[in-house]
Short mmCIF file of all heavy atoms in Angstrom, two decimals:
data_model
loop_
_atom_site.label_atom_id
_atom_site.label_comp_id
_atom_site.label_asym_id
_atom_site.label_seq_id
_atom_site.Cartn_x
_atom_site.Cartn_y
_atom_site.Cartn_z
N MET A 1 14.81 35.71 -10.43
CA MET A 1 15.14 34.70 -9.44
C MET A 1 14.49 33.38 -9.83
O MET A 1 13.31 33.32 -10.12
CB MET A 1 14.65 35.17 -8.07
CG MET A 1 14.90 34.20 -6.97
SD MET A 1 14.33 34.94 -5.41
CE MET A 1 15.24 33.97 -4.31
N ASN A 2 15.27 32.30 -9.87
CA ASN A 2 14.77 30.98 -10.22
C ASN A 2 14.27 30.24 -8.98
O ASN A 2 14.99 30.12 -8.01
CB ASN A 2 15.88 30.13 -10.86
CG ASN A 2 16.03 30.41 -12.33
OD1 ASN A 2 15.11 30.93 -12.95
ND2 ASN A 2 17.17 30.07 -12.88
N ASN A 3 13.04 29.79 -9.06
CA ASN A 3 12.52 28.91 -8.00
C ASN A 3 12.78 27.48 -8.42
O ASN A 3 12.49 27.09 -9.55
CB ASN A 3 11.02 29.12 -7.80
CG ASN A 3 10.74 30.41 -7.07
OD1 ASN A 3 11.60 30.96 -6.40
ND2 ASN A 3 9.52 30.90 -7.21
N ILE A 4 13.30 26.69 -7.52
CA ILE A 4 13.55 25.28 -7.79
C ILE A 4 12.56 24.47 -6.97
O ILE A 4 12.51 24.59 -5.75
CB ILE A 4 15.00 24.89 -7.43
CG1 ILE A 4 15.97 25.70 -8.27
CG2 ILE A 4 15.20 23.40 -7.62
CD1 ILE A 4 17.42 25.50 -7.90
N ALA A 5 11.77 23.69 -7.66
CA ALA A 5 10.81 22.84 -6.97
C ALA A 5 11.49 21.56 -6.51
O ALA A 5 12.39 21.03 -7.18
CB ALA A 5 9.65 22.51 -7.90
N THR A 6 11.08 21.06 -5.37
CA THR A 6 11.61 19.81 -4.84
C THR A 6 10.44 18.90 -4.48
O THR A 6 9.33 19.35 -4.24
CB THR A 6 12.48 20.04 -3.58
OG1 THR A 6 11.68 20.69 -2.58
CG2 THR A 6 13.70 20.88 -3.90
N ILE A 7 10.74 17.62 -4.46
CA ILE A 7 9.73 16.63 -4.07
C ILE A 7 10.06 16.18 -2.66
O ILE A 7 11.20 15.81 -2.35
CB ILE A 7 9.73 15.43 -5.03
CG1 ILE A 7 9.30 15.90 -6.42
CG2 ILE A 7 8.81 14.33 -4.52
CD1 ILE A 7 9.35 14.83 -7.48
N ASN A 8 9.04 16.21 -1.80
CA ASN A 8 9.21 15.85 -0.40
C ASN A 8 8.26 14.70 -0.06
O ASN A 8 7.05 14.80 -0.27
CB ASN A 8 8.91 17.08 0.48
CG ASN A 8 9.20 16.84 1.93
OD1 ASN A 8 10.15 16.16 2.26
ND2 ASN A 8 8.37 17.39 2.79
N PHE A 9 8.80 13.61 0.46
CA PHE A 9 7.99 12.47 0.90
C PHE A 9 7.04 12.93 1.99
O PHE A 9 7.43 13.58 2.95
CB PHE A 9 8.90 11.36 1.43
CG PHE A 9 8.16 10.19 2.02
CD1 PHE A 9 7.68 9.19 1.21
CD2 PHE A 9 7.96 10.10 3.38
CE1 PHE A 9 7.01 8.11 1.76
CE2 PHE A 9 7.29 9.02 3.94
CZ PHE A 9 6.82 8.02 3.12
N SER A 10 5.77 12.59 1.86
CA SER A 10 4.77 12.97 2.86
C SER A 10 4.38 11.76 3.72
O SER A 10 4.52 11.80 4.93
CB SER A 10 3.54 13.55 2.17
OG SER A 10 2.60 13.98 3.11
N ASN A 11 3.88 10.70 3.09
CA ASN A 11 3.56 9.48 3.83
C ASN A 11 3.35 8.33 2.86
O ASN A 11 3.29 8.53 1.66
CB ASN A 11 2.34 9.67 4.75
CG ASN A 11 1.06 9.91 3.98
OD1 ASN A 11 0.71 9.13 3.10
ND2 ASN A 11 0.36 10.98 4.30
N ALA A 12 3.24 7.13 3.42
CA ALA A 12 3.00 5.94 2.60
C ALA A 12 2.04 5.02 3.33
O ALA A 12 2.01 4.98 4.57
CB ALA A 12 4.31 5.23 2.30
N THR A 13 1.26 4.27 2.55
CA THR A 13 0.36 3.28 3.10
C THR A 13 0.55 1.94 2.38
O THR A 13 0.91 1.91 1.21
CB THR A 13 -1.12 3.70 2.96
OG1 THR A 13 -1.43 3.91 1.59
CG2 THR A 13 -1.41 4.96 3.75
N LEU A 14 0.36 0.88 3.12
CA LEU A 14 0.42 -0.47 2.58
C LEU A 14 -1.01 -0.98 2.50
O LEU A 14 -1.75 -0.91 3.49
CB LEU A 14 1.25 -1.37 3.51
CG LEU A 14 1.36 -2.84 3.12
CD1 LEU A 14 2.16 -2.99 1.83
CD2 LEU A 14 2.01 -3.63 4.24
N ARG A 15 -1.43 -1.43 1.33
CA ARG A 15 -2.80 -1.93 1.17
C ARG A 15 -2.74 -3.38 0.69
O ARG A 15 -2.13 -3.69 -0.33
CB ARG A 15 -3.59 -1.08 0.19
CG ARG A 15 -5.04 -1.53 0.11
CD ARG A 15 -5.93 -0.54 -0.58
NE ARG A 15 -5.48 -0.32 -1.95
CZ ARG A 15 -6.06 0.53 -2.77
NH1 ARG A 15 -7.07 1.27 -2.37
NH2 ARG A 15 -5.62 0.67 -4.00
N LEU A 16 -3.40 -4.24 1.45
CA LEU A 16 -3.46 -5.66 1.13
C LEU A 16 -4.88 -6.00 0.67
O LEU A 16 -5.85 -5.55 1.29
CB LEU A 16 -3.11 -6.51 2.35
CG LEU A 16 -1.79 -6.20 3.04
CD1 LEU A 16 -1.58 -7.12 4.22
CD2 LEU A 16 -0.63 -6.28 2.07
N SER A 17 -4.98 -6.77 -0.39
CA SER A 17 -6.29 -7.22 -0.89
C SER A 17 -6.40 -8.72 -0.62
O SER A 17 -5.46 -9.48 -0.86
CB SER A 17 -6.41 -6.97 -2.39
OG SER A 17 -6.34 -5.59 -2.66
N PHE A 18 -7.58 -9.12 -0.13
CA PHE A 18 -7.86 -10.52 0.18
C PHE A 18 -9.12 -10.96 -0.55
O PHE A 18 -10.09 -10.23 -0.61
CB PHE A 18 -8.08 -10.71 1.69
CG PHE A 18 -6.87 -10.40 2.51
CD1 PHE A 18 -6.68 -9.14 3.04
CD2 PHE A 18 -5.93 -11.38 2.76
CE1 PHE A 18 -5.58 -8.84 3.81
CE2 PHE A 18 -4.81 -11.09 3.54
CZ PHE A 18 -4.63 -9.82 4.05
N VAL A 19 -9.11 -12.17 -1.08
CA VAL A 19 -10.29 -12.76 -1.69
C VAL A 19 -11.13 -13.34 -0.56
O VAL A 19 -10.66 -14.21 0.18
CB VAL A 19 -9.93 -13.85 -2.73
CG1 VAL A 19 -11.18 -14.49 -3.29
CG2 VAL A 19 -9.07 -13.25 -3.84
N VAL A 20 -12.37 -12.84 -0.43
CA VAL A 20 -13.24 -13.28 0.67
C VAL A 20 -14.42 -14.12 0.19
O VAL A 20 -15.23 -14.56 1.00
CB VAL A 20 -13.74 -12.06 1.49
CG1 VAL A 20 -12.58 -11.37 2.18
CG2 VAL A 20 -14.52 -11.09 0.62
N GLY A 21 -14.51 -14.33 -1.10
CA GLY A 21 -15.60 -15.13 -1.65
C GLY A 21 -15.80 -14.83 -3.12
O GLY A 21 -14.92 -14.27 -3.77
N THR A 22 -16.98 -15.20 -3.62
CA THR A 22 -17.32 -14.93 -5.01
C THR A 22 -18.72 -14.31 -5.08
O THR A 22 -19.55 -14.54 -4.19
CB THR A 22 -17.29 -16.21 -5.87
OG1 THR A 22 -18.17 -17.17 -5.29
CG2 THR A 22 -15.89 -16.78 -5.98
N ASN A 23 -18.97 -13.57 -6.15
CA ASN A 23 -20.29 -12.97 -6.35
C ASN A 23 -21.18 -13.91 -7.16
O ASN A 23 -20.80 -15.06 -7.43
CB ASN A 23 -20.18 -11.59 -7.01
CG ASN A 23 -19.60 -11.63 -8.41
OD1 ASN A 23 -19.52 -12.68 -9.05
ND2 ASN A 23 -19.18 -10.48 -8.90
N ASP A 24 -22.35 -13.42 -7.56
CA ASP A 24 -23.33 -14.25 -8.31
C ASP A 24 -22.77 -14.78 -9.62
O ASP A 24 -23.20 -15.83 -10.10
CB ASP A 24 -24.58 -13.43 -8.64
CG ASP A 24 -25.27 -12.89 -7.41
OD1 ASP A 24 -24.82 -13.18 -6.29
OD2 ASP A 24 -26.26 -12.16 -7.56
N LYS A 25 -21.82 -14.05 -10.20
CA LYS A 25 -21.24 -14.44 -11.49
C LYS A 25 -20.01 -15.32 -11.33
O LYS A 25 -19.34 -15.65 -12.31
CB LYS A 25 -20.87 -13.19 -12.29
CG LYS A 25 -22.06 -12.31 -12.61
CD LYS A 25 -21.63 -11.05 -13.30
CE LYS A 25 -22.81 -10.12 -13.51
NZ LYS A 25 -22.40 -8.84 -14.10
N GLY A 26 -19.65 -15.65 -10.09
CA GLY A 26 -18.48 -16.48 -9.84
C GLY A 26 -17.18 -15.69 -9.82
O GLY A 26 -16.10 -16.28 -9.78
N GLU A 27 -17.29 -14.36 -9.86
CA GLU A 27 -16.09 -13.51 -9.83
C GLU A 27 -15.63 -13.31 -8.38
O GLU A 27 -16.46 -13.26 -7.47
CB GLU A 27 -16.39 -12.15 -10.46
CG GLU A 27 -16.86 -12.25 -11.89
CD GLU A 27 -17.47 -10.95 -12.41
OE1 GLU A 27 -17.99 -10.16 -11.62
OE2 GLU A 27 -17.43 -10.76 -13.63
N PRO A 28 -14.33 -13.20 -8.17
CA PRO A 28 -13.84 -13.03 -6.80
C PRO A 28 -14.28 -11.69 -6.19
O PRO A 28 -14.35 -10.68 -6.88
CB PRO A 28 -12.32 -13.06 -6.95
CG PRO A 28 -12.02 -12.99 -8.39
CD PRO A 28 -13.26 -13.25 -9.16
N VAL A 29 -14.61 -11.74 -4.91
CA VAL A 29 -14.93 -10.54 -4.13
C VAL A 29 -13.75 -10.29 -3.21
O VAL A 29 -13.30 -11.20 -2.51
CB VAL A 29 -16.22 -10.74 -3.30
CG1 VAL A 29 -16.47 -9.56 -2.39
CG2 VAL A 29 -17.41 -10.98 -4.21
N GLU A 30 -13.25 -9.06 -3.25
CA GLU A 30 -12.06 -8.73 -2.45
C GLU A 30 -12.40 -7.77 -1.32
O GLU A 30 -13.30 -6.95 -1.44
CB GLU A 30 -10.98 -8.09 -3.34
CG GLU A 30 -10.37 -9.05 -4.33
CD GLU A 30 -9.20 -8.45 -5.07
OE1 GLU A 30 -9.06 -7.22 -5.10
OE2 GLU A 30 -8.42 -9.23 -5.62
N LYS A 31 -11.63 -7.90 -0.26
CA LYS A 31 -11.68 -6.97 0.85
C LYS A 31 -10.28 -6.41 0.99
O LYS A 31 -9.29 -7.15 0.90
CB LYS A 31 -12.11 -7.68 2.13
CG LYS A 31 -12.19 -6.76 3.33
CD LYS A 31 -12.70 -7.50 4.55
CE LYS A 31 -12.80 -6.53 5.70
NZ LYS A 31 -13.31 -7.19 6.92
N LYS A 32 -10.18 -5.10 1.19
CA LYS A 32 -8.87 -4.45 1.30
C LYS A 32 -8.65 -3.98 2.73
O LYS A 32 -9.58 -3.54 3.40
CB LYS A 32 -8.79 -3.27 0.36
CG LYS A 32 -8.91 -3.67 -1.11
CD LYS A 32 -8.86 -2.46 -2.01
CE LYS A 32 -9.18 -2.72 -3.44
NZ LYS A 32 -8.74 -3.85 -4.10
N LYS A 33 -7.41 -4.11 3.18
CA LYS A 33 -7.00 -3.64 4.50
C LYS A 33 -5.82 -2.71 4.31
O LYS A 33 -4.86 -3.05 3.62
CB LYS A 33 -6.63 -4.84 5.39
CG LYS A 33 -6.21 -4.47 6.77
CD LYS A 33 -7.36 -3.92 7.57
CE LYS A 33 -6.89 -3.61 8.98
NZ LYS A 33 -7.75 -2.77 9.72
N THR A 34 -5.88 -1.52 4.91
CA THR A 34 -4.83 -0.51 4.74
C THR A 34 -4.07 -0.30 6.05
O THR A 34 -4.68 -0.20 7.12
CB THR A 34 -5.45 0.82 4.27
OG1 THR A 34 -6.15 0.59 3.04
CG2 THR A 34 -4.39 1.88 4.05
N TYR A 35 -2.76 -0.21 5.93
CA TYR A 35 -1.88 0.05 7.07
C TYR A 35 -1.13 1.35 6.79
O TYR A 35 -0.49 1.49 5.74
CB TYR A 35 -0.91 -1.12 7.27
CG TYR A 35 -1.65 -2.40 7.56
CD1 TYR A 35 -2.03 -3.24 6.52
CD2 TYR A 35 -1.99 -2.75 8.85
CE1 TYR A 35 -2.73 -4.40 6.77
CE2 TYR A 35 -2.70 -3.91 9.11
CZ TYR A 35 -3.06 -4.74 8.07
OH TYR A 35 -3.77 -5.89 8.31
N ASN A 36 -1.21 2.28 7.72
CA ASN A 36 -0.62 3.61 7.56
C ASN A 36 0.77 3.70 8.19
O ASN A 36 1.22 2.78 8.87
CB ASN A 36 -1.53 4.66 8.20
CG ASN A 36 -2.88 4.69 7.55
OD1 ASN A 36 -3.00 4.71 6.34
ND2 ASN A 36 -3.93 4.67 8.36
N ASN A 37 1.40 4.84 7.97
CA ASN A 37 2.69 5.19 8.58
C ASN A 37 3.83 4.28 8.17
O ASN A 37 4.68 3.91 8.97
CB ASN A 37 2.58 5.25 10.11
CG ASN A 37 1.57 6.26 10.56
OD1 ASN A 37 1.48 7.34 10.01
ND2 ASN A 37 0.78 5.90 11.56
N ILE A 38 3.85 3.90 6.89
CA ILE A 38 4.95 3.10 6.35
C ILE A 38 6.15 4.03 6.15
O ILE A 38 6.01 5.13 5.62
CB ILE A 38 4.55 2.44 5.01
CG1 ILE A 38 3.26 1.61 5.18
CG2 ILE A 38 5.69 1.61 4.44
CD1 ILE A 38 3.36 0.49 6.19
N LYS A 39 7.31 3.59 6.59
CA LYS A 39 8.50 4.42 6.51
C LYS A 39 8.96 4.63 5.07
O LYS A 39 8.81 3.76 4.22
CB LYS A 39 9.65 3.79 7.30
CG LYS A 39 9.43 3.80 8.78
CD LYS A 39 10.64 3.23 9.50
CE LYS A 39 10.42 3.26 10.99
NZ LYS A 39 11.60 2.76 11.71
N LYS A 40 9.56 5.77 4.85
CA LYS A 40 10.14 6.10 3.54
C LYS A 40 11.30 5.15 3.24
O LYS A 40 12.11 4.84 4.11
CB LYS A 40 10.66 7.54 3.57
CG LYS A 40 11.34 7.97 2.29
CD LYS A 40 11.86 9.38 2.41
CE LYS A 40 12.57 9.80 1.13
NZ LYS A 40 13.07 11.16 1.21
N GLY A 41 11.33 4.67 2.02
CA GLY A 41 12.46 3.85 1.57
C GLY A 41 12.44 2.40 2.03
O GLY A 41 13.44 1.71 1.87
N VAL A 42 11.33 1.94 2.57
CA VAL A 42 11.27 0.55 3.01
C VAL A 42 11.45 -0.37 1.79
O VAL A 42 10.99 -0.07 0.70
CB VAL A 42 9.96 0.26 3.78
CG1 VAL A 42 8.76 0.38 2.87
CG2 VAL A 42 10.00 -1.09 4.45
N GLN A 43 12.15 -1.46 1.99
CA GLN A 43 12.45 -2.39 0.90
C GLN A 43 11.23 -3.25 0.55
O GLN A 43 10.46 -3.64 1.42
CB GLN A 43 13.62 -3.31 1.31
CG GLN A 43 14.91 -2.57 1.58
CD GLN A 43 15.45 -1.89 0.33
OE1 GLN A 43 15.51 -2.50 -0.73
NE2 GLN A 43 15.82 -0.63 0.46
N ALA A 44 11.10 -3.58 -0.73
CA ALA A 44 9.99 -4.39 -1.21
C ALA A 44 9.96 -5.75 -0.51
O ALA A 44 8.88 -6.26 -0.17
CB ALA A 44 10.08 -4.57 -2.72
N GLU A 45 11.12 -6.33 -0.27
CA GLU A 45 11.19 -7.64 0.39
C GLU A 45 10.63 -7.58 1.81
O GLU A 45 9.96 -8.51 2.27
CB GLU A 45 12.63 -8.16 0.42
CG GLU A 45 13.20 -8.47 -0.95
CD GLU A 45 13.75 -7.24 -1.67
OE1 GLU A 45 13.85 -6.15 -1.06
OE2 GLU A 45 14.07 -7.36 -2.86
N ALA A 46 10.90 -6.48 2.51
CA ALA A 46 10.38 -6.32 3.87
C ALA A 46 8.86 -6.18 3.85
O ALA A 46 8.17 -6.78 4.69
CB ALA A 46 11.02 -5.10 4.54
N LEU A 47 8.33 -5.42 2.90
CA LEU A 47 6.88 -5.27 2.79
C LEU A 47 6.22 -6.60 2.45
O LEU A 47 5.15 -6.94 2.98
CB LEU A 47 6.52 -4.23 1.74
CG LEU A 47 6.86 -2.78 2.11
CD1 LEU A 47 6.63 -1.87 0.91
CD2 LEU A 47 6.04 -2.33 3.30
N GLU A 48 6.84 -7.35 1.58
CA GLU A 48 6.30 -8.66 1.21
C GLU A 48 6.30 -9.60 2.41
O GLU A 48 5.31 -10.31 2.67
CB GLU A 48 7.09 -9.27 0.06
CG GLU A 48 6.54 -10.61 -0.39
CD GLU A 48 7.35 -11.23 -1.51
OE1 GLU A 48 8.57 -11.04 -1.54
OE2 GLU A 48 6.72 -11.89 -2.35
N SER A 49 7.38 -9.60 3.18
CA SER A 49 7.47 -10.47 4.36
C SER A 49 6.39 -10.13 5.38
O SER A 49 5.70 -11.01 5.90
CB SER A 49 8.85 -10.35 5.01
OG SER A 49 9.83 -10.87 4.18
N VAL A 50 6.24 -8.84 5.67
CA VAL A 50 5.22 -8.40 6.63
C VAL A 50 3.83 -8.74 6.11
O VAL A 50 2.98 -9.22 6.87
CB VAL A 50 5.36 -6.89 6.91
CG1 VAL A 50 4.15 -6.34 7.63
CG2 VAL A 50 6.63 -6.61 7.69
N SER A 51 3.60 -8.53 4.84
CA SER A 51 2.30 -8.83 4.24
C SER A 51 1.97 -10.31 4.36
O SER A 51 0.83 -10.69 4.66
CB SER A 51 2.27 -8.40 2.78
OG SER A 51 2.47 -7.02 2.67
N ASN A 52 2.96 -11.16 4.14
CA ASN A 52 2.75 -12.60 4.24
C ASN A 52 2.44 -13.02 5.68
O ASN A 52 1.63 -13.92 5.91
CB ASN A 52 3.94 -13.37 3.69
CG ASN A 52 4.00 -13.31 2.18
OD1 ASN A 52 2.98 -13.24 1.51
ND2 ASN A 52 5.20 -13.33 1.64
N VAL A 53 3.08 -12.38 6.65
CA VAL A 53 2.78 -12.67 8.06
C VAL A 53 1.34 -12.28 8.37
O VAL A 53 0.60 -13.04 9.00
CB VAL A 53 3.77 -11.94 8.99
CG1 VAL A 53 3.31 -12.01 10.44
CG2 VAL A 53 5.17 -12.53 8.85
N ILE A 54 0.93 -11.08 7.93
CA ILE A 54 -0.44 -10.63 8.16
C ILE A 54 -1.42 -11.58 7.48
O ILE A 54 -2.43 -11.96 8.08
CB ILE A 54 -0.64 -9.19 7.65
CG1 ILE A 54 0.19 -8.21 8.50
CG2 ILE A 54 -2.11 -8.80 7.66
CD1 ILE A 54 0.29 -6.81 7.95
N ALA A 55 -1.13 -11.98 6.25
CA ALA A 55 -2.02 -12.90 5.53
C ALA A 55 -2.14 -14.24 6.25
O ALA A 55 -3.19 -14.87 6.20
CB ALA A 55 -1.50 -13.10 4.10
N GLY A 56 -1.08 -14.64 6.93
CA GLY A 56 -1.11 -15.90 7.67
C GLY A 56 -2.05 -15.86 8.86
O GLY A 56 -2.41 -16.91 9.41
N LEU A 57 -2.48 -14.67 9.27
CA LEU A 57 -3.39 -14.53 10.40
C LEU A 57 -4.85 -14.61 9.99
O LEU A 57 -5.74 -14.53 10.83
CB LEU A 57 -3.13 -13.19 11.11
CG LEU A 57 -1.72 -13.02 11.69
CD1 LEU A 57 -1.55 -11.61 12.23
CD2 LEU A 57 -1.46 -14.06 12.76
N THR A 58 -5.10 -14.74 8.69
CA THR A 58 -6.47 -14.82 8.18
C THR A 58 -6.64 -16.10 7.36
O THR A 58 -5.66 -16.67 6.89
CB THR A 58 -6.82 -13.58 7.32
OG1 THR A 58 -8.14 -13.71 6.83
CG2 THR A 58 -5.86 -13.41 6.16
N SER A 59 -7.86 -16.50 7.20
CA SER A 59 -8.12 -17.70 6.38
C SER A 59 -8.32 -17.34 4.92
O SER A 59 -8.46 -18.22 4.08
CB SER A 59 -9.36 -18.43 6.92
OG SER A 59 -10.48 -17.58 6.86
N ASN A 60 -8.33 -16.04 4.60
CA ASN A 60 -8.53 -15.59 3.22
C ASN A 60 -7.21 -15.57 2.46
O ASN A 60 -6.15 -15.42 3.05
CB ASN A 60 -9.16 -14.20 3.21
CG ASN A 60 -10.51 -14.19 3.87
OD1 ASN A 60 -11.33 -15.06 3.65
ND2 ASN A 60 -10.74 -13.20 4.72
N THR A 61 -7.30 -15.68 1.14
CA THR A 61 -6.12 -15.66 0.29
C THR A 61 -5.77 -14.22 -0.09
O THR A 61 -6.63 -13.47 -0.55
CB THR A 61 -6.39 -16.46 -1.01
OG1 THR A 61 -6.73 -17.79 -0.66
CG2 THR A 61 -5.17 -16.46 -1.92
N MET A 62 -4.51 -13.85 0.12
CA MET A 62 -4.07 -12.52 -0.27
C MET A 62 -3.89 -12.49 -1.79
O MET A 62 -3.26 -13.37 -2.37
CB MET A 62 -2.75 -12.16 0.42
CG MET A 62 -2.28 -10.75 0.15
SD MET A 62 -0.87 -10.23 1.16
CE MET A 62 0.31 -11.53 0.85
N SER A 63 -4.46 -11.46 -2.43
CA SER A 63 -4.40 -11.39 -3.88
C SER A 63 -3.50 -10.27 -4.40
O SER A 63 -3.07 -10.31 -5.55
CB SER A 63 -5.79 -11.22 -4.48
OG SER A 63 -6.39 -10.03 -3.99
N LYS A 64 -3.23 -9.27 -3.55
CA LYS A 64 -2.44 -8.14 -4.04
C LYS A 64 -1.82 -7.39 -2.86
O LYS A 64 -2.42 -7.27 -1.80
CB LYS A 64 -3.33 -7.18 -4.82
CG LYS A 64 -2.58 -6.09 -5.56
CD LYS A 64 -3.49 -5.04 -6.19
CE LYS A 64 -4.47 -5.63 -7.16
NZ LYS A 64 -5.29 -4.61 -7.83
N ILE A 65 -0.60 -6.88 -3.09
CA ILE A 65 0.09 -6.01 -2.14
C ILE A 65 0.37 -4.71 -2.88
O ILE A 65 0.95 -4.73 -3.96
CB ILE A 65 1.43 -6.61 -1.67
CG1 ILE A 65 1.23 -8.00 -1.07
CG2 ILE A 65 2.14 -5.67 -0.70
CD1 ILE A 65 2.54 -8.75 -0.82
N GLU A 66 -0.05 -3.58 -2.28
CA GLU A 66 0.19 -2.28 -2.90
C GLU A 66 0.86 -1.34 -1.90
O GLU A 66 0.51 -1.34 -0.71
CB GLU A 66 -1.12 -1.63 -3.34
CG GLU A 66 -1.85 -2.39 -4.41
CD GLU A 66 -3.19 -1.77 -4.71
OE1 GLU A 66 -4.07 -1.82 -3.84
OE2 GLU A 66 -3.34 -1.23 -5.82
N LEU A 67 1.78 -0.55 -2.39
CA LEU A 67 2.39 0.52 -1.60
C LEU A 67 2.02 1.83 -2.28
O LEU A 67 2.32 2.04 -3.45
CB LEU A 67 3.92 0.38 -1.55
CG LEU A 67 4.65 1.50 -0.82
CD1 LEU A 67 4.29 1.52 0.66
CD2 LEU A 67 6.15 1.38 -1.01
N ASN A 68 1.35 2.69 -1.54
CA ASN A 68 0.94 3.99 -2.07
C ASN A 68 1.72 5.07 -1.34
O ASN A 68 1.61 5.20 -0.12
CB ASN A 68 -0.56 4.20 -1.87
CG ASN A 68 -1.38 3.16 -2.60
OD1 ASN A 68 -1.21 2.99 -3.80
ND2 ASN A 68 -2.22 2.45 -1.89
N GLU A 69 2.51 5.83 -2.09
CA GLU A 69 3.29 6.92 -1.51
C GLU A 69 2.70 8.26 -1.93
O GLU A 69 2.31 8.45 -3.08
CB GLU A 69 4.74 6.87 -1.99
CG GLU A 69 5.53 5.72 -1.42
CD GLU A 69 6.99 5.77 -1.78
OE1 GLU A 69 7.39 6.58 -2.64
OE2 GLU A 69 7.75 5.02 -1.20
N LEU A 70 2.65 9.17 -0.98
CA LEU A 70 2.19 10.52 -1.23
C LEU A 70 3.39 11.44 -1.09
O LEU A 70 4.10 11.41 -0.08
CB LEU A 70 1.10 10.93 -0.25
CG LEU A 70 0.54 12.34 -0.41
CD1 LEU A 70 -0.10 12.51 -1.77
CD2 LEU A 70 -0.46 12.63 0.69
N GLN A 71 3.64 12.25 -2.12
CA GLN A 71 4.76 13.17 -2.11
C GLN A 71 4.25 14.56 -2.44
O GLN A 71 3.33 14.72 -3.24
CB GLN A 71 5.83 12.74 -3.12
CG GLN A 71 6.39 11.37 -2.80
CD GLN A 71 7.44 10.93 -3.81
OE1 GLN A 71 7.77 11.64 -4.75
NE2 GLN A 71 7.98 9.75 -3.61
N GLU A 72 4.85 15.55 -1.81
CA GLU A 72 4.51 16.95 -2.05
C GLU A 72 5.55 17.58 -2.95
O GLU A 72 6.73 17.26 -2.85
CB GLU A 72 4.50 17.74 -0.74
CG GLU A 72 3.45 17.33 0.25
CD GLU A 72 3.59 18.15 1.52
OE1 GLU A 72 4.47 17.82 2.31
OE2 GLU A 72 2.81 19.09 1.68
N ILE A 73 5.11 18.47 -3.80
CA ILE A 73 6.04 19.26 -4.60
C ILE A 73 6.12 20.63 -3.95
O ILE A 73 5.10 21.33 -3.82
CB ILE A 73 5.60 19.36 -6.07
CG1 ILE A 73 5.59 17.95 -6.67
CG2 ILE A 73 6.52 20.30 -6.85
CD1 ILE A 73 5.06 17.89 -8.07
N LEU A 74 7.31 21.00 -3.53
CA LEU A 74 7.51 22.27 -2.82
C LEU A 74 8.28 23.24 -3.69
O LEU A 74 9.27 22.87 -4.32
CB LEU A 74 8.29 22.02 -1.52
CG LEU A 74 7.69 20.99 -0.56
CD1 LEU A 74 8.67 20.72 0.58
CD2 LEU A 74 6.36 21.47 -0.03
N SER A 75 7.83 24.46 -3.71
CA SER A 75 8.55 25.53 -4.42
C SER A 75 9.44 26.25 -3.42
O SER A 75 9.00 26.64 -2.35
CB SER A 75 7.58 26.53 -5.03
OG SER A 75 6.81 25.89 -6.02
N ASN A 76 10.69 26.39 -3.76
CA ASN A 76 11.64 27.08 -2.87
C ASN A 76 11.76 28.53 -3.26
O ASN A 76 11.59 28.97 -4.32
CB ASN A 76 13.00 26.40 -2.92
CG ASN A 76 12.92 25.00 -2.35
OD1 ASN A 76 12.14 24.74 -1.44
ND2 ASN A 76 13.71 24.10 -2.88
#
């Protein structure tokens, strides 16, 4: 009997990085903020738009937008 494995979307998080200052060496110091329960298949443009709105609520400069998806491999 052949088992066929499938990939199942589990969840996704949106992580925004903001530059909040510099360290002793003049290198940027970042703070990250994570938002959970991102829907499967959300478009990159929508994530960018939402991220820009969130960034507009802070005085810090947004340096990076990341989408992290967790998927399970299921054996049938």
Side-chain angles (χ1 to χ4, degrees):
M1 179 177 200
N2 277 340
N3 285 339
I4 299 174
T6 59
I7 296 176
N8 186 37
F9 174 84
S10 183
N11 66 53
T13 58
L14 178 67
R15 185 166 60 182
L16 306 180
S17 298
F18 295 93
V19 176
V20 295
T22 56
N23 64 16
D24 301 358
K25 299 176 185 176
E27 301 166 334
V29 174
E30 292 187 341
K31 180 177 182 179
K32 297 178 189 320
K33 181 68 178 164
T34 301
Y35 299 90
N36 299 312
N37 301 319
I38 305 300
K39 291 183 179 182
K40 177 182 179 179
V42 66
Q43 298 295 313
E45 294 83 8
L47 290 173
E48 182 181 33
S49 293
V50 167
S51 298
N52 286 329
V53 169
I54 293 169
L57 299 174
T58 179
S59 60
N60 299 315
T61 301
M62 184 171 54
S63 60
K64 189 187 302 184
I65 304 169
E66 296 174 292
L67 176 65
N68 299 305
E69 289 186 349
L70 179 61
Q71 299 179 1
E72 295 177 281
I73 298 175
L74 304 173
S75 296
N76 295 327

